[in-house]
Amino acid sequence: MGGDSKYLGLAYVAPYIAGLLIFTAVPFVASFYLSFTDYSLMRPPQWSGLENYTELFTRDRTFRKSLSVTLLYVFMTVPLKLIFALFIAYILNYRLKFINFFRTAYYVPSILGGSIAVAVLWRYIFADAGLVNMAITAFGGEAVNWFGDPGNALFTITLLRLWQFGSAMVIFLAALQSIDKTLYEAAAIDGAGKWHTFVYITLPLITPVIFFNLIMQMVQAFQEFNGPYVITEGGPLKSTYLLPLYIYEEAFKKFHMGYASAIAWVLFAIIMVLTLIAFWSSRHWVYYAGDKRS
Amino acid sequence: MAEEITVRATTAELASARALAEGRRMHAISSAVRYALLAGVGFLMLYPLIWLIGASFKTNSEIFANPGFIPSEPTLTGYIEGWRTSTPYTFATFFWNTFLIILPKTIGTAISCAAVAYGFARFEFPGKRILFATLIATLLLPNVVTRIPQYLLFRDLGWLDSFLPLWVPSAFAGDAFFVFMLIQFLRAIPRDMEEAARVDGANTLQTLIYIVVPMLAPALISVCLFQFMWTMNDFLGPLIYLSSVDKYPISLALKLSIDTTEAFQWNRILAMSVLALVPALTVFFLAQKYFIEGISTGGVKG
């Protein structure tokens, strides 16, 4: 708008700039600094160089366990959740009646899934005599010790996240609905079957959304806290002790602020590297309509 | 010549009619399969919630004995005793606390995000590109990195054990996702109305309040609803910042009741879990259109 000062826009974004500096940028730099210190709140941070990091990578067994559990958790949940979300969205995308009803039903868990109430519910339905085991025994199976066995415990936490596939599904569904129908008609005339149509038309056209969901789900999964904290408390044998739990306990139970910052930075570095790999590789598999490269 | 074309056309029509009939039969079968699949998955997904509601009216001995959701002898003990809690406070306190966090947080978010999105979408200013890049970067920045220094900051400000750390950052447009969503929404709205208002002598602030905000209303409602849900569900924030039980929101109170309730009082915890889900479910069902639209615009255009 012509006559306005070129600084007028800055006035509107000023709250954002202030918030960015105070609550994000300064803390971001500070946590990097703290990760090289020994700081337990009693006295000012003491510079300790790489000590925290060498401790983490050479001596800290809890960290090693926690890291491998976290990676396992993320690499299990993210692909499963995306595939499932896409699969259901694909089915919903046919002109079915009640599409809105199903969309709502599937979306409800995403709204509630992060809540403590649902984590509580999970504790009960996977308990020894809980709903899941009642169902298994009713069909003649043998009750499973969901929380006692380290392998099963992580699986129940994974299921809690899979259960919340609705938000990813809604995004997929919106993308599927925006695909130009004439492309499908053209493919049908050329004699393409359903599978070919899906692989060569549908998938390429929704790659931007797959990419978006992939990044978002990954960043979120790496930060999962409520589920394991409330349902399994990190156990048994630390089999669900995800890195955010470890950071929380180091920082806010033991007040090892320096050490906790170092763990947080390792987690951050992993997320960043994977995000960068995704961004870098996206040039080869993400197709933007109207983009000449592809 | 003309005849030939007509004949060809009819043959083509016949062929396509045959294909259509065949297609319809296939369609009937495959849509039956689809409905069955969708209903099955939907049932599996929603049954735990349905069971939860039923179980909250059961007696303790029935909870782990009856997989059905209809209680054999319905009772309200879970609700009555759960509401009382084992602390000196009732769940009324915890609901009130949750409300005291949500209210300023939602209002602060709506106002700050609307202003900031307006600034980004409608003005050119020095440093805009860099600032916009930081917005995208914060969208991807895991909170886990900034949490510890933020805690130290709020400790130095004397804000520990108060609600301030839980909502003040949001009032500075701290949730990049919402700013981004509103910018996307604003970009899709033509500027004619705003320009007309400016010609009529309105300044930019008046334009924002009287022209832009009403047009942004659906997106702003989505923002408020998402913020409401996320704050209801937030657990880690209160866990870190609140230490007195009289300030606990519902999420912390529920965790507390698991830790303190004797092992046999399952129905109390389940009953309070149901109550904890009621506000979120009510809001969702009243306004689901905004959720679905919000997530679709914020996501797809991103």
Side-chain angles (χ1 to χ4, degrees), chain B residues 141-206:
Chain B
L141 182 76
N143 294 327
V144 70
V145 199
T146 48
R147 197 166 282 131
I148 290 168
Q150 275 178 2
Y151 173 86
L152 299 172
L153 170 73
F154 294 132
R155 183 197 58 168
D156 293 342
L157 289 171
W159 287 5
L160 294 190
D161 205 23
S162 82
F163 296 148
L164 294 171
L166 300 173
W167 67 265
V168 171
S170 296
F172 282 88
D175 303 289
F177 173 76
F178 295 138
V179 180
F180 190 68
M181 198 171 118
L182 292 179
I183 292 176
Q184 297 288 24
F185 196 91
L186 263 182
R187 278 182 180 161
I189 299 179
R191 301 175 182 210
D192 313 7
M193 294 263 286
E194 293 159 56
E195 275 156 15
R198 296 303 306 281
V199 169
D200 288 347
N203 63 33
T204 54
L205 187 62
Q206 289 166 325

Side-chain angles (χ1 to χ4, degrees), chain A residues 1 4 6 12 16 23 27 31 39 41 91 97 104 106-107 109 111 115-116 124 129 163 165 170 223 248, chain B residues 34-35 37-38 42 45 64 125 134-135 143-145 149-150 155 198 204-205 233 235 266 284 288 295:
Chain A
M1 291 170 198
D4 298 332
K6 65 173 178 172
Y12 285 104
Y16 169 73
F23 302 119
S31 89
Y39 185 34
L41 296 185
I91 296 177
K97 279 171 200 153
T104 305
Y106 291 152
Y107 190 58
I111 285 285
S115 71
I116 297 304
Y124 284 85
W163 188 60
F165 74 92
V170 169
Q223 298 186 83
Y248 167 76
Chain B
R34 270 183 221 120
Y35 278 122
L37 194 73
L38 287 174
M45 290 197 46
F64 284 128
F125 51 85
T134 65
L135 189 72
N143 294 327
V144 70
V145 199
Q150 275 178 2
R155 183 197 58 168
R198 296 303 306 281
T204 54
L205 187 62
N233 289 346
F235 174 66
W266 304 301
F284 175 69
Q288 44 167 309
I295 200 164

Side-chain angles (χ1 to χ4, degrees), chain A residues 111-155:
Chain A
I111 285 285
L112 307 175
S115 71
I116 297 304
V118 166
V120 168
L121 171 64
W122 231 245
R123 266 174 84 121
Y124 284 85
I125 59 178
F126 285 99
D128 284 342
L131 186 60
V132 176
N133 276 346
M134 280 193 267
I136 292 175
T137 44
F139 287 104
E142 239 176 79
V144 179
N145 185 357
W146 293 105
F147 297 134
D149 183 306
N152 294 341
L154 189 63
F155 181 67

Side-chain angles (χ1 to χ4, degrees), chain A residues 22-36:
Chain A
I22 302 169
F23 302 119
T24 308
V26 172
F28 182 72
V29 176
S31 89
F32 189 60
Y33 164 73
L34 284 176
S35 75
F36 296 101

Side-chain angles (χ1 to χ4, degrees), chain B:
Chain B
M1 187 69 180
E3 258 169 50
E4 201 181 317
I5 292 171
T6 335
V7 170
R8 258 196 218 151
T10 5
T11 341
E13 265 164 31
L14 268 177
S16 74
R18 216 173 292 138
L20 211 65
E22 176 72 8
R24 273 203 200 115
R25 206 172 310 128
M26 288 294 291
H27 189 74
I29 296 168
S30 66
S31 68
V33 171
R34 270 183 221 120
Y35 278 122
L37 194 73
L38 287 174
V41 173
F43 177 76
L44 275 179
M45 290 197 46
L46 293 184
Y47 191 72
L49 291 173
I50 296 166
W51 177 84
L52 172 70
I53 295 170
S56 69
F57 292 103
K58 289 176 184 170
T59 58
N60 274 313
S61 53
E62 200 193 341
I63 288 175
F64 284 128
N66 176 7
F69 71 94
I70 298 171
S72 57
E73 331 159 21
T75 166
L76 282 173
T77 11
Y79 285 90
I80 293 164
E81 287 170 6
W83 185 266
R84 238 182 264 143
T85 77
S86 49
T87 69
Y89 311 97
T90 64
F91 256 82
T93 311
F94 305 136
F95 270 99
W96 179 243
N97 289 337
T98 308
F99 177 73
L100 288 182
I101 299 167
I102 286 182
L103 192 70
K105 188 168 181 174
T106 311
I107 295 174
T109 304
I111 295 175
S112 64
C113 290
V116 171
Y118 180 58
F120 272 119
R122 291 295 192 255
F123 296 91
E124 289 306 321
F125 51 85
K128 180 175 165 180
R129 287 176 68 99
I130 296 171
L131 278 173
F132 191 73
T134 65
L135 189 72
I136 306 295
T138 26
L139 206 59
L140 295 172
L141 182 76
N143 294 327
V144 70
V145 199
T146 48
R147 197 166 282 131
I148 290 168
Q150 275 178 2
Y151 173 86
L152 299 172
L153 170 73
F154 294 132
R155 183 197 58 168
D156 293 342
L157 289 171
W159 287 5
L160 294 190
D161 205 23
S162 82
F163 296 148
L164 294 171
L166 300 173
W167 67 265
V168 171
S170 296
F172 282 88
D175 303 289
F177 173 76
F178 295 138
V179 180
F180 190 68
M181 198 171 118
L182 292 179
I183 292 176
Q184 297 288 24
F185 196 91
L186 263 182
R187 278 182 180 161
I189 299 179
R191 301 175 182 210
D192 313 7
M193 294 263 286
E194 293 159 56
E195 275 156 15
R198 296 303 306 281
V199 169
D200 288 347
N203 63 33
T204 54
L205 187 62
Q206 289 166 325
T207 313
L208 170 64
I209 295 170
Y210 296 110
I211 310 288
V212 176
V213 167
M215 288 193 299
L216 261 185
L220 275 175
I221 293 172
S222 295
V223 166
C224 292
L225 292 172
F226 273 108
Q227 190 65 290
F228 174 84
M229 291 293 176
W230 289 349
T231 314
M232 283 292 299
N233 289 346
D234 185 23
F235 174 66
L236 188 53
L239 182 69
I240 291 173
Y241 291 115
L242 300 177
S243 44
S244 337
V245 176
D246 65 322
K247 297 195 178 102
Y248 275 16
I250 302 167
S251 57
L252 273 190
L254 267 183
K255 170 70 175 135
L256 182 75
S257 54
I258 307 177
D259 297 341
T260 57
T261 309
E262 303 93 299
F264 308 106
Q265 304 303 333
W266 304 301
N267 63 359
R268 294 188 193 176
I269 297 171
L270 290 177
M272 290 307 106
S273 299
V274 171
L275 289 189
L277 294 176
V278 165
L281 275 180
T282 313
V283 168
F284 175 69
F285 280 110
L286 288 179
Q288 44 167 309
K289 150 181 154 209
Y290 293 103
F291 281 97
I292 307 274
E293 274 169 17
I295 200 164
S296 310
T297 34
V300 172
K301 288 177 186 165

